Amino acid sequence: MNMQRINNFRMGAYAALAAGLINLRYQTGSDSNMPKSLLLIIPGSIVLGLSLTTAGKKLLDSKSAAAVGMTVGLLLFIYSFVV
């Protein structure tokens, strides 16, 4: 198992989760703030949870998961700056 890859997933998930929570706090009162923030919080929470379980680590260790994770992570990163 490639622990560096799992750790990269964990750090990316934490970044998405943190960006979503920061957005939720600093845009309080804004229209449709909750769905915008949840778009960052939910994937971050799911990947963080997967990176902490044995079955999730096996899933995230594959090359296809790395490709999907990089694509989705990049899109979430761009979205966090747009919102």
Side-chain angles (χ1 to χ4, degrees):
M1 185 174 303
N2 187 350
M3 287 308 292
Q4 183 177 4
R5 182 179 289 170
I6 302 301
N7 193 38
N8 289 343
F9 273 111
R10 194 173 289 153
M11 293 301 116
Y14 175 73
L17 181 62
L21 291 173
I22 289 169
N23 182 51
L24 185 63
R25 171 64 185 104
Y26 284 106
Q27 291 190 16
T28 303
S30 175
D31 290 340
S32 68
N33 183 34
M34 184 63 85
K36 290 178 185 177
S37 296
L38 286 178
L39 195 59
L40 293 166
I41 293 171
I42 290 173
S45 300
I46 290 170
V47 174
L48 186 62
L50 284 174
S51 71
L52 296 173
T53 63
T54 306
K57 287 179 186 177
K58 288 180 183 178
L59 176 70
L60 294 176
D61 199 31
S62 68
K63 287 188 178 187
S64 60
V68 170
M70 286 293 292
T71 305
V72 172
L74 181 63
L75 291 173
L76 287 175
F77 179 74
I78 292 169
Y79 178 76
S80 70
F81 281 102
V82 171
V83 173

